[in-house]
Amino acid sequence: MMRLPEIRMLKILFALLLLVISVTGRAAIETYRFDDASQEESYKKLVAELRCLVCQNQNLADSNAELAHDMRRKTYELIIAGKTDDEIVDFMVARYGDFVMYNPPVKSTTMLLWFGPLVFLLIAASVVFVFMRKQKKNAPVVSAQQQKQVHKLLDE
Amino acid sequence: MSRILVPLGFLLLMFLFWLMLDRIGEGEYNPRDIPTEFIGKAAPSINVPDLFDPSRMVQTADMKGQVWLFNVWGTWCPECWREHEYLLELSKTVPIIGLNWRDQADESRAMLARMGNPFRQIGFDPQSNVAMDWGVYGAPETFLVDAEGVIRAKHAGAMTPQVWEEKFRIYFEKGQGTP
């Protein structure tokens, strides 16, 4: 049986452990100070939208790569300098290309990306349509006599 | 009809898949490659101090009229060590300006003292300012700037005799920067 002071000690130890966990959780990403809430919102939106070029399946917010770190810092600096969201995206696109956007613009080179899935859907739908019509056509014709027989058998 | 079409379609997909894998294997296609935005555009300035002389900035204005290479490297980058010897050889005939990226100045100077220095000037860029202006996303990367100060070619990865032959040599043949 544990005595009261021991339990209290354990509680304190536990609280300290929780503190450690929260500290390591925050250590991976740097924190920035903003002048107002709209700037912070812009920052959050941009780092979620912009793509890291090293770890290509992560956005800037998720990535821990050094390049992502640099790009986050640049994003922050540009926001503080009073640039608009569009200007910051343009800044990144001028350097890293459309690749840097998770929401790429519709243009000739991205047509397949935007409309490819729709084309596949249409192909699949027409295949299903043709298949179903064929099934209907090949369905066996049941005569009135046979119909009666079926009902009789089912009733028994 | 569909009894032939379906397997045929499947075979076609398989063939395309094999084609892609084959090209990746041959090194002709890299799905992670990012097309550069800078071909045909004016080279950005290299607005950082010199690695060996921090009191002066890197000057590219006097490179006008000649074709030169811009090589981004760091002591932390194994591919950079690998290409170093070839850069030394190239530097006998080709002007190369380096960018020491995200690095420690003393370590970088020590590496060049140990392995030789292929660079005419070296920008020191621990904060990635110049690297970002040039759209660099990894090291090593090598750009070719022509006599008018326009970027004509770029290679991400180590410079090798093969890469030189395929992408760069032609720009030096007439000495004008236009193939």
Side-chain angles (χ1 to χ4, degrees), chain B residues 15-16 41 44-45 59 68-69 76 92 97 99 102-103 114 128 136-137 148 157 171:
Chain B
F15 173 71
L16 289 175
K41 289 196 185 147
S45 64
Q59 287 298 329
W68 51 284
L69 296 182
W76 45 269
K92 288 174 194 159
I97 290 184
L99 184 76
R102 225 188 259 146
D103 214 339
R114 197 170 60 244
S128 302
V136 171
Y137 62 91
E148 272 81 52
Y171 294 96

Side-chain angles (χ1 to χ4, degrees), chain B residues 16-167:
Chain B
L16 289 175
F17 186 61
W18 173 82
L19 207 69
M20 185 184 77
L21 286 186
D22 188 57
R23 290 194 56 209
I24 291 174
E26 297 285 324
E28 291 164 6
Y29 171 67
N30 179 0
R32 293 181 63 90
D33 255 355
I34 300 161
T36 179
E37 292 296 299
F38 286 90
I39 303 293
K41 289 196 185 147
S45 64
I46 305 173
N47 212 8
V48 281
D50 191 273
L51 174 69
F52 285 102
D53 182 5
S55 66
R56 60 172 283 276
M57 302 296 262
V58 170
Q59 287 298 329
T60 50
D62 50 341
M63 299 304 287
K64 274 263 158 75
Q66 51 181 327
V67 188
W68 51 284
L69 296 182
F70 179 60
N71 178 266
V72 181
W73 65 285
T75 55
W76 45 269
C77 144
E79 282 296 303
C80 302
W81 313 337
R82 220 158 286 151
E83 71 170 1
H84 201 82
E85 195 150 337
Y86 188 60
L87 287 184
L88 279 171
E89 198 188 310
L90 276 179
S91 69
K92 288 174 194 159
T93 52
V94 175
I96 308 176
I97 290 184
L99 184 76
N100 181 239
W101 184 31
R102 225 188 259 146
D103 214 339
Q104 306 280 330
D106 46 352
E107 273 180 40
S108 310
R109 286 191 285 251
M111 174 176 152
L112 293 177
R114 197 170 60 244
M115 297 173 73
N117 181 3
F119 306 113
R120 298 258 174 111
Q121 303 176 66
I122 306 163
F124 180 56
D125 189 21
Q127 300 270 2
S128 302
N129 289 320
V130 175
M132 286 191 76
D133 282 343
W134 286 68
V136 171
Y137 62 91
E141 279 188 21
T142 305
F143 297 78
L144 181 138
V145 183
D146 74 4
E148 272 81 52
V150 174
I151 296 176
R152 291 290 170 200
K154 183 209 168 179
H155 177 69
M159 179 62 91
T160 61
Q162 197 195 345
V163 170
W164 171 256
E165 200 62 35
E166 282 172 7
K167 286 191 182 171

Side-chain angles (χ1 to χ4, degrees), chain A residues 69-121:
Chain A
H69 175 95
D70 289 340
M71 288 169 78
R72 282 196 298 265
R73 200 195 64 233
K74 200 76 194 179
T75 306
Y76 171 74
E77 285 170 6
L78 291 172
I79 287 174
I80 292 299
K83 300 276 188 236
T84 66
D85 292 6
D86 285 346
E87 282 173 324
I88 295 169
V89 170
D90 287 347
F91 175 94
M92 294 295 177
V93 170
R95 284 156 181 76
Y96 298 107
D98 288 341
F99 199 95
V100 80
M101 284 184 288
Y102 258 127
N103 197 0
V106 183
K107 51 187 203 184
S108 61
T109 46
T110 56
M111 281 299 206
L112 193 65
L113 182 70
W114 277 99
F115 301 110
L118 197 70
V119 171
F120 278 111
L121 188 72

Side-chain angles (χ1 to χ4, degrees), chain A residues 9-25:
Chain A
M9 274 292 280
L10 264 181
K11 268 186 184 164
I12 292 169
L13 204 71
F14 217 79
L16 280 175
L17 260 176
L18 281 176
L19 261 180
V20 170
I21 289 165
S22 67
V23 164
T24 49

